[in-house]
Amino acid sequence: MTKIIPIKELKIKETAARELPKDIEERVQVYWNELTAKYPGMFNGALYSVINMENDDGIVTLTCEPSDYAHYKYSEIMDLGEYTCRSMYAGCILVSSDKKLFVSLNGVGSEFVGKIQGIGGVMDPSDRFIGGATRKDGSKETNKLSPLVTAFRELEEEVGKEIRDSVTDIGKSYLVTNDNKYGFPFVFCSNLDSKTIQHAFDSFKKETGSNEVDRLISFGKDDMDELERYKSGQDIGVVDLLKIIMGEL
């Protein structure tokens, strides 16, 4: 079951990586070899795995450890118990100046081709607030893993700098999870209208040849019937999240 939790405060605690038992490590490698033979564009990048989550009325605390994509993909098909990898990712729902909500439709460069999702991806170890946030007592948190940094990085990588630079306001953030994946979508408000966003993305795609995102899809309050059609072709919670955000615009 997918849960969507509005976040009041997010606390991320990092721990050292645990060593996988040798038999699991070997099975992960065999499965990864099979996947890359089928999807040559896949690569085994670093990510974080959630060990524990606590939610105190929107104050969310996650404990995570370093892992990698091969481990996560194997965990999707096998129950590894305490060694299961539960990935962390972040992104955005982009809101145009004329109140259209944009998500991405995965292209042939993605293993999830044809599915809609928020514009985003896996949290990278380098996605950090280097300067740190200020605590209530005035002290600083430094070098903290940040889904907001991930969201901005992914926005630029997937749809281009022009759209990334058009973000003028950050709205609510959410935790979306099915206890296997933990996503942090933000509401990013752009100063561009929907037609300009589409044109900027088309220009980016033409210039870069990127095929991870096939196209951007937008929904307004009059598009609820169309949105329902994507329920069978969505990343976790996207349709319900879009309904929530639409209701708050």
Side-chain angles (χ1 to χ4, degrees):
M1 180 179 175
T2 300
K3 300 184 284 287
I4 300 177
I5 302 169
I7 293 177
K8 295 177 182 176
E9 183 181 356
L10 176 63
K11 303 175 182 178
I12 298 177
K13 300 178 180 178
E14 298 178 58
T15 65
R18 293 171 295 173
E19 187 173 346
L20 290 178
K22 189 173 181 180
D23 65 317
I24 293 179
E25 190 174 350
E26 290 174 350
R27 283 185 280 146
V28 166
Q29 189 58 53
V30 169
Y31 182 63
W32 182 249
N33 290 341
E34 294 172 355
L35 277 181
T36 51
K38 187 175 182 180
Y39 303 104
M42 294 179 70
F43 68 96
N44 189 16
L47 53 73
Y48 284 91
S49 173
V50 173
I51 300 171
N52 184 60
M53 183 192 89
E54 297 175 8
N55 175 30
D56 181 10
D57 192 28
I59 301 174
V60 177
T61 303
L62 290 179
T63 303
C64 64
E65 65 177 349
S67 185
D68 60 38
Y69 198 60
H71 180 199
Y72 168 67
K73 293 304 294 181
Y74 189 66
S75 294
E76 284 190 320
I77 65 163
M78 293 295 295
D79 182 2
L80 301 180
E82 65 176 300
Y83 295 105
T84 296
C85 180
R86 302 174 177 90
S87 73
M88 296 169 65
Y89 64 99
C92 75
I93 304 298
L94 186 69
V95 184
S96 65
S97 62
D98 53 341
K99 304 303 181 185
K100 295 287 189 178
L101 276 57
F102 281 83
V103 294
S104 61
L105 179 72
N106 289 319
V108 294
S110 167
E111 63 183 294
F112 305 113
V113 59
K115 283 191 175 184
I116 63 166
Q117 64 176 42
I119 304 166
V122 169
M123 291 181 64
D124 187 271
S126 64
D127 292 335
R128 297 175 180 274
F129 274 135
I130 302 302
T134 303
R135 299 188 183 97
K136 290 180 180 179
D137 63 4
S139 60
K140 290 274 190 179
E141 291 182 310
T142 59
N143 201 30
K144 289 292 184 180
L145 193 64
S146 169
L148 184 58
V149 173
T150 303
F152 273 112
R153 174 181 58 77
E154 288 282 344
L155 185 62
E156 181 170 342
E157 290 177 357
E158 293 197 351
V159 301
K161 189 175 186 298
E162 181 179 353
I163 294 175
R164 186 250 186 260
D165 289 347
S166 78
V167 175
T168 55
D169 190 32
I170 302 169
K172 289 186 177 180
S173 62
Y174 300 84
L175 168 63
V176 180
T177 181
N178 59 3
D179 297 324
N180 182 44
K181 297 170 67 176
Y182 291 78
F184 304 98
F186 293 82
V187 177
F188 280 179
C189 300
S190 169
N191 60 14
L192 303 177
D193 63 28
S194 53
K195 287 184 178 179
T196 306
I197 287 174
Q198 290 284 9
H199 177 74
F201 173 70
D202 291 343
S203 297
F204 166 78
K205 193 171 174 66
K206 184 177 181 180
E207 290 170 4
T208 63
S210 174
N211 61 4
E212 187 169 352
V213 175
D214 180 55
R215 57 193 170 96
L216 295 182
I217 299 178
S218 65
F219 300 95
K221 290 188 176 181
D222 296 330
D223 301 321
M224 298 304 291
D225 290 342
E226 183 182 354
L227 179 58
E228 285 292 324
R229 297 192 193 105
Y230 284 95
K231 273 201 166 180
S232 61
Q234 61 169 323
D235 196 12
I236 62 167
V238 174
V239 169
D240 287 337
L241 179 61
L242 287 169
K243 290 178 182 179
I244 291 171
I245 297 170
M246 279 181 192
E248 296 177 344
L249 290 178

